[in-house]
Each structure stands twice: as structure tokens, then as C-alpha cells.
Amino acid sequence: MKRKLKWVCLIIALIITMEVTTVILMNRYKKSEAYIPALNITGDVSKPQSVKSMKGFDTTSVMYNNKSTKVILLKDIIKKSEPWAKNNNIFIVGDDGLTAEIQGNNLEKCYIAYTSANGWECINKNHPVSSNIKRIIKIVIASNTPAQNFGINIINSKKNIVSFTPGQLFMKQVLLRKNFEGKASVNHDGKVFEDTIYTLHQYIKLKDLADTGSGIIAMGQDGAYGTDSGDGYLEVMGNTIDYVYHDSKERVVNIKGILVDAPQGSNMDAYYDAQHFLENGENVMVILTDGFGYNQYEKFMETNSVPYLKSLPIAARASTEFIPVTNTGLAAVITGKSPQENGVYSRSQRELKVSTIFDYVNKIGEKGVLIEGNIKILDTKGDIVLNTDKNSNGSFDDEIYKSALNAINEKKNFIFVHFHSIDDAGHSYGPLGKNTTQAAKQVDAYIKDIVSNWHGEVIITSDHGMHSVKEKGEHGSFVYEDMIVPYLITKGGK
């Protein structure tokens, strides 16, 4: 009897242990499977974060509402996202739209906690209680520093207008717009159940930021390129900005700048103008003056530093392409295609995805040549003449000039001449420096001589311009000085 009772007790104890273990495991399972909404860190940061737990952060405990609460330092979350500027404002945004703005240099005793009751919430010991936002969905970092290369610049063909970072756009008035995504239906027991799906977007009207004039060109990273009437929107996507067309069906992603009231032409027109003249039996010379922006053209005209160019009809303002560097501009000129089409959008690319004007010249059986500096910048087909600084005078433009005269004597039908010294001097002495002015004066003399010896049409343009940085010059930014270049056509023999 005692043995039987002992076994009964053991069985009961085992059952109780199994039940307790099951409850513990189920609780752990439920806890691990519990949904924790993401806390997104966006805006003017190099590494946007989507925080879904406190793992990976140093935690501490603070007394809040009379109980100990596990927290993360707000500045640690921000630091992990790598703000690109030192002086920032921090926006704490709740799911109901309630937002607290805190200065980024005043985050002492600012914490972030997660509780089942309030989700992600802010606990600010040194700030008013109104800043303790509950159910936080995002933290936006907004720089107080003007940014030229982080965010977007808006320019026209005559000046730089305004620039915005993703965080700074967060402070602008937004338009909530639902975009239709589609319909779906199912049939149950002879009844049709149909639903319509939308996505909700926060847009900023471009026209609220700048006068778009007759139309815009939006350009972005990796060759993104789009033209529009200017009735579209900007949408912040984490730490980047998209241009969204008015119908919301298309967009230009990760834009770096918008050219408003865009000029009629671009340096891509050189391809089509050259092709047109060749089709009509004309010889064509294209002269590319590297690093010669429209602002330099105007200043040098005013000071009579380019007397030959001044004797010609006034050059039109033309846009170049982003990124405004030689590879990108040259590729656009010889292909007539934007970077997203021709495949060259930075100094890193050399291979073209489309045919060039040299391919066309070969196709129609004419004789063409590219007169270059000391390296072949792009992988182009056809005859190319490279030039080194044989006389060691610090420039190979004089050798390029002589090679161009030789090509004229060889009766070439198409000659592409690429002068470099304005760009070279601009980098060292600034776009309007004394040495740069002297380089422009010399190139102007070279152009005058080769044009006077040429029988045919002449197209003169540039790959990009240049802006001042202290006493030197740089290019590669979406600014008026880099993006607007001269474009003119004249007759040879003058």
C-alpha cells in the first residue's frame, strides 16, 4: 500500500512539473513571438536604423512612474546611426503624430524605453514632461548646417536657389496622399467581396520650395535622370529623397539636385547637332573645353580674356549631367544620352552602354578622330590621338592644338578636340584665378586658329564647370557653377 501511494505521489509530482514546465515554455514562446514595432532612425544620418529590440545597446535602469525601467541612452541610438553633421535637432515622432523637438546638444538624461503598455517611449529627465512621447515610430535627425552634397540642391541656369537635407525637409509642410495600388476580389457562397488597396505617402510640393518655371530636370545618384513639368513632389525615403511625378506612378530615386526653369538645351545636343550636320554632308568639329562653366564664360567675356569667343554669337546656357565630372560629361556629349542610359555617371565608369558619334561617323564611311590628352578617358572605338606634355611646359593643350591642325590637314570629316588646361588651372588656382584666366586666354587663341583653318561646322561646349573652394576650385556638386555650361555653334573659316 505504501509503495502504491509512493508511485501515485511521484506521478502527481511529474504531472505538476510537466504542467509548470509547459506554462513556462509557453510564456517564453509567447514572449519571443510578441510583436515589437520598429523604431526607425532616419534623416541626416549615414546609417538609418530600424531598432526592434534593445540588443546591441548598453542599457541601464532609471526610476520612472515609481518603478525601475530598463532604458537606452537616446544619444547612443543616434550615435549608431552616424549623423553626418555635429549640430542637429532631434524630432521624436509618435504614432498619433505628436512630436517633440529636442536640440541635439542637449540630450543629457534622455532615454528610450520599451514597455508593453506604451511601446517605444521617451523618458526625458531634464526636459518638460510633454517631451515624453509614447508609441514612438521614428526619430528624425535634422541638421542645422547647410549641406551641399548631403540631400538636394535646387538651382536654375543662373544661380543656386536653395538646398535641403532629408531631415530639413521633415520640417516642411507635407501633403498626405493616398496612392491607388489595386483591387482584389474573392467569391464566397455566390457573393463577391472586393477590396481596394492604397498606400499613404507624405509628399512635399516642389512648387512650395521653388519656382519651377517652364520645367525641371531631376538628377540623382547612379545616373538617375528625369524631366518633368515641375508639378511633382519630393518624398523623403529614410536618408535619401525621391522626386515623384504628379501622377505618383513614376519617380526619380535618390535625387541629388533639381534644375528648375531648365534651359532648353544640354551638352548632349552636341551628338544630335553633329549627326545632323554630317547627314547633310557638312564636316563637323566638336571642341570640348574641360572645366569651363557658364559663370567663367561670362566673367572672361566681361574682362575680354577670351576675345575670340567674344566675337562669336553669345553662347546658350546648357545643362550638363550629374555627377559633373569629365567621364560623365564627355560620355553625354558623345552619346547624346543621359548617364542612366549611357552607363557613365562618375569617374569610376569607362565603358559605354550605347553607341557614340564616332560609331556613327564610321557607319556612314567618313573619317573621324578624337584628339585627347595623355589618357583615353572612355572606351571609345575609332581613331584616337593621345598627347603628352612633350615640351614640359605643364600643359598638353599646345600638343592637342597641333594635333588638331594635323587632323585638319589630313582632311578628316569629323574632329573632336578636348582641351584640358582650364580645368587643370581651375583646380589649383580657382575657377576665376589669374592662372585660370590665362589658360582660358590661351585656349581661346587655340580655338580661333583651328576654327579659322576648318571648313565646316563647329560646336563648342564643356563637360562641366567649377566652383570655388577657398583659393582653389572643385567640381562634382549639384551647383550652378558646375552644372551650367556654354553651348554655341559657329562656322569654320572665321
Side-chain angles (χ1 to χ4, degrees):
M1 185 69 181
K2 289 182 178 179
R3 183 178 294 178
K4 186 175 180 181
L5 182 62
K6 182 180 181 180
W7 279 107
V8 170
C9 291
L10 286 172
I11 291 170
I12 292 172
L14 180 61
I15 291 172
I16 292 172
T17 301
M18 290 177 65
E19 287 180 349
V20 171
T21 303
T22 301
V23 170
I24 292 172
L25 290 173
M26 287 184 68
N27 285 338
R28 287 181 178 176
Y29 175 77
K30 288 178 180 179
K31 186 176 181 181
S32 66
E33 291 296 308
Y35 171 71
I36 298 179
L39 172 59
N40 295 310
I41 320 299
T42 66
D44 301 339
V45 295
S46 299
K47 293 182 178 180
Q49 301 290 316
S50 184
V51 179
K52 296 182 180 178
S53 73
M54 291 189 174
K55 292 180 180 179
F57 294 96
D58 292 333
T59 60
T60 187
S61 294
V62 298
M63 291 302 296
Y64 183 57
N65 290 337
N66 298 319
K67 66 179 181 179
S68 179
T69 304
K70 186 179 179 181
V71 295
I72 310 168
L73 291 174
L74 175 56
K75 64 182 180 181
D76 285 352
I77 293 181
I78 294 171
K79 183 179 179 181
K80 192 171 183 180
S81 299
E82 297 185 8
W84 72 268
K86 293 182 179 180
N87 188 7
N88 302 290
N89 282 356
I90 314 299
F91 293 88
I92 315 294
V93 185
D95 64 359
D96 57 357
L98 192 64
T99 301
E101 180 182 355
I102 303 172
Q103 291 182 350
N105 60 357
N106 195 15
L107 300 181
E108 192 70 26
K109 294 187 178 182
C110 291
Y111 308 103
I112 297 293
Y114 183 83
T115 65
S116 57
N118 297 324
W120 293 104
E121 63 177 314
C122 204
I123 300 173
N124 297 316
K125 292 287 189 175
N126 290 347
H127 291 265
V129 68
S130 57
S131 68
N132 292 342
I133 304 297
K134 296 176 173 58
R135 298 185 302 279
I136 303 168
I137 57 173
K138 64 182 175 181
I139 298 174
V140 181
I141 315 300
S143 166
N144 291 320
T145 306
Q148 189 176 89
N149 293 317
F150 192 95
I152 65 164
N153 295 338
I154 301 177
I155 68 173
N156 62 25
S157 61
K158 295 183 179 180
K159 64 181 180 179
N160 301 308
I161 300 174
V162 69
S163 64
F164 294 103
T165 66
Q168 289 164 357
L169 281 178
F170 173 77
M171 295 182 282
K172 296 295 179 181
Q173 184 174 355
V174 298
L175 168 70
L176 287 177
R177 178 167 173 171
K178 62 179 184 179
N179 291 345
F180 171 76
E181 299 295 342
K183 289 187 176 183
S185 62
V186 294
N187 191 312
H188 284 296
D189 299 328
K191 292 184 179 181
V192 176
F193 298 84
E194 185 177 73
D195 298 317
T196 304
I197 305 300
Y198 301 91
T199 54
L200 188 63
H201 294 261
Q202 292 185 336
Y203 292 150
I204 299 119
K205 287 184 178 180
L206 178 59
K207 286 189 174 181
D208 287 345
L209 304 178
D211 181 7
T212 59
S214 59
I216 66 104
I217 304 174
M219 302 186 200
Q221 199 72 27
D222 300 343
Y225 188 98
T227 59
D228 193 30
S229 64
D231 290 325
Y233 314 96
L234 300 181
E235 183 175 20
V236 177
M237 308 295 290
N239 67 342
T240 63
I241 302 165
D242 289 358
Y243 177 79
V244 184
Y245 289 80
H246 184 73
D247 60 8
S248 300
K249 294 180 180 178
E250 295 183 50
R251 63 178 57 213
V252 183
V253 300
N254 193 9
I255 60 170
K256 294 301 178 182
I258 295 178
L259 174 56
V260 300
D261 199 15
Q264 292 288 323
S266 78
N267 56 7
M268 288 186 281
D269 295 340
Y271 173 90
Y272 302 100
D273 288 334
Q275 188 181 64
H276 169 75
F277 293 134
L278 289 165
E279 285 175 349
N280 287 277
E282 294 275 3
N283 292 332
V284 179
M285 176 184 289
V286 177
I287 300 175
L288 192 74
T289 52
D290 201 301
F292 187 44
Y294 204 93
N295 66 312
Q296 293 164 287
Y297 168 77
E298 285 186 311
K299 292 295 184 183
F300 294 153
M301 292 269 284
E302 290 174 8
T303 58
N304 203 33
S305 300
V306 286
Y308 176 68
L309 290 179
K310 190 172 182 178
S311 71
L312 301 177
I314 296 294
R317 297 174 187 270
S319 59
T320 188
E321 297 68 39
F322 190 81
I323 299 171
V325 293
T326 297
N327 293 48
T328 304
L330 177 60
V333 169
I334 66 175
T335 66
K337 303 294 184 183
S338 68
Q340 69 180 0
E341 295 175 283
N342 67 44
V344 177
Y345 51 85
S346 74
R347 293 184 178 95
S348 301
Q349 293 84 39
R350 289 172 47 89
E351 186 175 349
L352 293 157
K353 294 181 179 179
V354 296
S355 61
T356 71
I357 190 64
F358 302 106
D359 296 317
Y360 177 77
V361 170
N362 292 336
K363 181 181 177 181
I364 63 176
E366 300 287 9
K367 296 184 293 182
V369 63
L370 169 60
I371 311 294
E372 252 299 356
N374 61 344
I375 60 171
K376 187 177 181 181
I377 296 169
L378 301 174
D379 292 333
T380 55
K381 299 176 183 178
D383 189 13
I384 179 170
V385 176
L386 298 180
N387 295 272
T388 59
D389 184 12
K390 294 179 181 179
N391 57 10
S392 299
N393 68 345
S395 171
F396 35 72
D397 271 9
D398 48 340
E399 285 82 11
I400 290 173
Y401 157 68
K402 292 173 184 176
S403 293
L405 290 177
N406 290 337
I408 293 172
N409 292 332
E410 291 171 1
K411 306 298 183 184
K412 300 288 187 181
N413 307 104
F414 178 78
I415 302 176
F416 193 106
V417 185
H418 187 178
F419 287 114
H420 290 261
S421 60
I422 298 176
D423 181 77
D424 293 340
H427 279 288
S428 298
Y429 306 103
L432 301 174
K434 181 178 178 180
N435 291 58
T436 310
T437 304
Q438 184 58 43
K441 185 177 294 187
Q442 183 61 73
V443 169
D444 181 74
Y446 290 152
I447 293 174
K448 178 181 180 181
D449 202 20
I450 59 177
V451 171
S452 65
N453 283 280
W454 176 249
H455 298 287
E457 300 289 341
V458 180
I459 301 168
I460 303 173
T461 190
S462 180
D463 51 354
H464 59 80
M466 184 174 289
H467 63 274
S468 298
V469 179
K470 296 182 179 179
E471 295 180 358
K472 296 186 178 182
E474 289 183 2
H475 57 88
S477 299
F478 200 98
V479 293
Y480 153 71
E481 295 89 343
D482 291 10
M483 295 296 301
I484 304 299
V485 298
Y487 189 94
L488 66 90
I489 298 176
T490 188
K491 285 275 191 182
K494 293 185 178 182

Coordinates of all heavy atoms in Angstrom, one line a residue, residues 52-91:
K52 N 14.6 47.1 -33.3 CA 13.4 46.2 -33.0 C 13.6 45.6 -31.6 O 12.8 44.8 -31.1 CB 13.3 45.1 -34.0 CG 12.9 45.7 -35.4 CD 12.7 44.6 -36.4 CE 12.3 45.2 -37.8 NZ 12.2 44.1 -38.8
S53 N 14.7 45.9 -31.0 CA 15.0 45.4 -29.6 C 16.1 46.2 -29.0 O 16.7 47.0 -29.7 CB 15.3 43.9 -29.6 OG 16.6 43.7 -30.1
M54 N 16.3 46.0 -27.7 CA 17.4 46.7 -27.0 C 18.8 46.0 -27.2 O 19.8 46.5 -26.7 CB 17.1 46.9 -25.5 CG 15.9 47.8 -25.3 SD 15.8 48.2 -23.5 CE 14.5 49.4 -23.5
K55 N 18.8 44.9 -27.9 CA 20.0 44.2 -28.1 C 21.0 45.0 -28.9 O 20.6 45.7 -29.8 CB 19.8 42.8 -28.8 CG 19.0 41.8 -28.0 CD 18.8 40.5 -28.8 CE 18.0 39.5 -27.9 NZ 17.8 38.2 -28.7
G56 N 22.2 45.0 -28.6 CA 23.2 45.7 -29.3 C 23.5 47.1 -28.7 O 24.4 47.8 -29.1
F57 N 22.7 47.4 -27.6 CA 22.9 48.7 -27.0 C 23.2 48.5 -25.5 O 22.8 47.5 -24.9 CB 21.6 49.6 -27.0 CG 21.2 50.0 -28.4 CD1 20.3 49.3 -29.2 CD2 21.8 51.1 -29.0 CE1 20.0 49.7 -30.4 CE2 21.5 51.6 -30.2 CZ 20.5 50.8 -31.0
D58 N 24.0 49.4 -24.9 CA 24.2 49.4 -23.5 C 22.9 49.9 -22.8 O 22.4 50.9 -23.2 CB 25.4 50.3 -23.1 CG 26.7 49.7 -23.6 OD1 26.8 48.5 -23.7 OD2 27.6 50.6 -23.9
T59 N 22.5 49.1 -21.8 CA 21.3 49.5 -21.1 C 21.6 49.9 -19.7 O 22.6 49.5 -19.1 CB 20.2 48.4 -21.1 OG1 20.8 47.2 -20.5 CG2 19.8 48.0 -22.6
T60 N 20.7 50.6 -19.1 CA 20.7 51.0 -17.7 C 19.3 51.0 -17.2 O 18.3 50.8 -17.9 CB 21.4 52.3 -17.5 OG1 21.6 52.6 -16.1 CG2 20.6 53.5 -18.1
S61 N 19.1 51.3 -15.9 CA 17.8 51.4 -15.3 C 17.6 52.8 -14.7 O 18.5 53.3 -14.1 CB 17.5 50.3 -14.3 OG 17.5 49.0 -14.9
V62 N 16.4 53.3 -14.9 CA 16.0 54.6 -14.2 C 14.7 54.4 -13.6 O 13.9 53.6 -13.9 CB 16.0 55.7 -15.3 CG1 17.3 56.0 -15.9 CG2 14.9 55.5 -16.3
M63 N 14.4 55.2 -12.6 CA 13.1 55.3 -11.9 C 12.2 56.1 -12.7 O 12.4 57.3 -13.0 CB 13.3 55.8 -10.5 CG 14.0 54.9 -9.6 SD 13.3 53.3 -9.4 CE 11.7 53.7 -8.7
Y64 N 11.0 55.5 -13.1 CA 10.1 56.2 -13.9 C 8.7 55.7 -13.5 O 8.4 54.5 -13.5 CB 10.3 55.9 -15.4 CG 9.4 56.6 -16.4 CD1 9.3 58.0 -16.4 CD2 8.6 55.9 -17.3 CE1 8.5 58.7 -17.2 CE2 7.8 56.6 -18.2 CZ 7.7 58.0 -18.1 OH 6.9 58.6 -19.0
N65 N 7.8 56.7 -13.1 CA 6.5 56.3 -12.6 C 6.6 55.4 -11.4 O 5.9 54.4 -11.4 CB 5.6 55.8 -13.7 CG 5.2 56.8 -14.8 OD1 5.2 58.0 -14.5 ND2 4.9 56.4 -16.0
N66 N 7.6 55.7 -10.6 CA 7.7 54.9 -9.3 C 8.2 53.5 -9.5 O 7.9 52.6 -8.6 CB 6.5 55.0 -8.5 CG 6.1 56.4 -8.1 OD1 7.0 57.2 -7.7 ND2 4.8 56.7 -8.1
K67 N 8.8 53.2 -10.6 CA 9.3 51.8 -10.8 C 10.6 51.9 -11.7 O 10.8 52.8 -12.5 CB 8.3 50.9 -11.4 CG 7.9 51.2 -12.8 CD 6.8 50.2 -13.4 CE 6.4 50.5 -14.8 NZ 5.4 49.5 -15.3
S68 N 11.4 50.9 -11.5 CA 12.6 50.8 -12.2 C 12.3 50.4 -13.7 O 11.7 49.3 -13.9 CB 13.6 49.8 -11.6 OG 14.8 49.7 -12.3
T69 N 12.9 51.1 -14.6 CA 12.6 50.8 -16.1 C 13.9 50.7 -16.8 O 14.8 51.6 -16.7 CB 11.8 52.0 -16.7 OG1 10.6 52.1 -16.0 CG2 11.5 51.7 -18.2
K70 N 14.0 49.7 -17.6 CA 15.2 49.4 -18.4 C 15.2 50.4 -19.6 O 14.2 50.5 -20.3 CB 15.2 48.0 -18.9 CG 16.5 47.6 -19.6 CD 16.4 46.1 -20.0 CE 17.6 45.6 -20.8 NZ 17.4 44.2 -21.2
V71 N 16.3 51.1 -19.8 CA 16.4 52.1 -20.9 C 17.7 52.1 -21.7 O 18.7 51.5 -21.2 CB 16.2 53.5 -20.3 CG1 14.9 53.7 -19.6 CG2 17.3 53.8 -19.3
I72 N 17.7 52.8 -22.8 CA 18.9 53.0 -23.6 C 19.1 54.5 -23.7 O 18.1 55.3 -23.7 CB 18.7 52.5 -25.1 CG1 18.2 51.1 -25.1 CG2 20.0 52.7 -25.9 CD1 17.7 50.7 -26.5
L73 N 20.3 55.0 -23.7 CA 20.6 56.4 -23.8 C 20.2 56.8 -25.2 O 20.6 56.2 -26.2 CB 22.0 56.7 -23.6 CG 22.6 56.5 -22.2 CD1 24.1 56.7 -22.1 CD2 21.9 57.5 -21.2
L74 N 19.4 57.9 -25.3 CA 19.0 58.4 -26.7 C 20.2 58.7 -27.5 O 20.2 58.4 -28.7 CB 18.1 59.6 -26.5 CG 17.7 60.4 -27.8 CD1 16.9 59.4 -28.7 CD2 16.8 61.6 -27.4
K75 N 21.2 59.3 -26.9 CA 22.4 59.7 -27.7 C 23.1 58.5 -28.3 O 23.8 58.5 -29.3 CB 23.4 60.5 -26.9 CG 24.0 59.9 -25.7 CD 24.9 60.8 -24.9 CE 25.5 60.2 -23.7 NZ 26.3 61.1 -22.9
D76 N 23.0 57.3 -27.6 CA 23.6 56.1 -28.1 C 22.9 55.6 -29.4 O 23.6 55.1 -30.3 CB 23.6 55.0 -27.1 CG 24.6 55.2 -26.0 OD1 25.5 56.1 -26.1 OD2 24.6 54.4 -25.0
I77 N 21.6 55.7 -29.4 CA 20.8 55.3 -30.6 C 21.2 56.2 -31.8 O 21.4 55.8 -32.9 CB 19.3 55.4 -30.3 CG1 18.9 54.3 -29.3 CG2 18.5 55.2 -31.6 CD1 17.4 54.3 -29.0
I78 N 21.3 57.5 -31.5 CA 21.6 58.5 -32.5 C 23.0 58.3 -33.0 O 23.3 58.3 -34.2 CB 21.4 59.9 -32.0 CG1 19.9 60.2 -31.7 CG2 21.9 60.9 -33.0 CD1 19.6 61.4 -31.0
K79 N 24.0 58.0 -32.1 CA 25.4 57.8 -32.5 C 25.5 56.6 -33.4 O 26.3 56.7 -34.4 CB 26.2 57.6 -31.2 CG 27.7 57.5 -31.5 CD 28.5 57.3 -30.2 CE 30.0 57.1 -30.5 NZ 30.7 56.9 -29.2
K80 N 24.8 55.6 -33.2 CA 24.9 54.4 -34.0 C 24.4 54.6 -35.4 O 24.8 54.0 -36.4 CB 24.0 53.2 -33.4 CG 24.3 51.9 -34.0 CD 23.6 50.8 -33.2 CE 23.9 49.4 -33.8 NZ 23.3 48.3 -33.1
S81 N 23.5 55.6 -35.6 CA 23.1 56.0 -37.0 C 24.0 56.9 -37.7 O 23.8 57.2 -38.9 CB 21.7 56.7 -36.9 OG 20.7 55.8 -36.3
E82 N 25.0 57.4 -37.1 CA 26.1 58.2 -37.6 C 25.6 59.5 -38.3 O 25.5 59.6 -39.5 CB 26.9 57.4 -38.6 CG 27.7 56.3 -38.0 CD 28.6 55.5 -39.0 OE1 28.8 56.0 -40.1 OE2 29.1 54.5 -38.6
P83 N 25.1 60.5 -37.5 CA 24.7 61.8 -38.1 C 25.9 62.4 -38.9 O 27.0 62.3 -38.4 CB 24.3 62.6 -36.8 CG 24.0 61.6 -35.8 CD 24.9 60.4 -36.1
W84 N 25.6 62.9 -40.0 CA 26.7 63.5 -40.8 C 27.1 64.9 -40.3 O 28.2 65.3 -40.6 CB 26.3 63.5 -42.3 CG 25.3 64.6 -42.6 CD1 23.9 64.5 -42.6 CD2 25.6 66.0 -43.0 NE1 23.3 65.7 -43.0 CE2 24.3 66.6 -43.2 CE3 26.7 66.7 -43.1 CZ2 24.2 67.9 -43.5 CZ3 26.6 68.1 -43.4 CH2 25.4 68.6 -43.7
A85 N 26.3 65.5 -39.5 CA 26.7 66.8 -39.0 C 26.7 66.8 -37.5 O 26.1 65.9 -36.9 CB 25.7 67.9 -39.5
K86 N 27.4 67.7 -36.9 CA 27.5 67.8 -35.4 C 26.4 68.5 -34.8 O 26.0 68.2 -33.6 CB 28.9 68.4 -35.0 CG 30.1 67.6 -35.4 CD 31.4 68.3 -35.0 CE 32.6 67.4 -35.3 NZ 33.8 68.0 -34.9
N87 N 25.8 69.5 -35.5 CA 24.8 70.3 -34.9 C 23.4 69.9 -35.5 O 23.1 70.2 -36.6 CB 25.1 71.8 -35.2 CG 24.2 72.8 -34.5 OD1 23.4 72.4 -33.6 ND2 24.3 74.0 -34.8
N88 N 22.6 69.3 -34.7 CA 21.3 68.7 -35.1 C 20.2 69.0 -34.2 O 20.4 69.3 -33.0 CB 21.4 67.2 -35.3 CG 22.5 66.8 -36.2 OD1 22.4 66.9 -37.4 ND2 23.6 66.1 -35.6
N89 N 19.0 69.0 -34.7 CA 17.8 68.9 -33.9 C 17.2 67.5 -34.0 O 17.3 66.9 -35.1 CB 16.7 69.9 -34.4 CG 17.0 71.3 -33.9 OD1 18.0 71.6 -33.2 ND2 16.2 72.3 -34.4
I90 N 16.6 67.0 -32.9 CA 16.1 65.7 -32.9 C 14.6 65.7 -32.8 O 14.1 66.4 -31.9 CB 16.7 64.9 -31.7 CG1 18.2 65.1 -31.6 CG2 16.3 63.4 -31.8 CD1 19.0 64.6 -32.8
F91 N 13.9 65.0 -33.7 CA 12.4 65.0 -33.7 C 12.0 63.6 -33.2 O 12.3 62.6 -33.9 CB 11.8 65.4 -35.0 CG 12.1 66.8 -35.4 CD1 13.2 67.1 -36.1 CD2 11.2 67.8 -35.1 CE1 13.5 68.5 -36.5 CE2 11.4 69.1 -35.5 CZ 12.6 69.4 -36.2

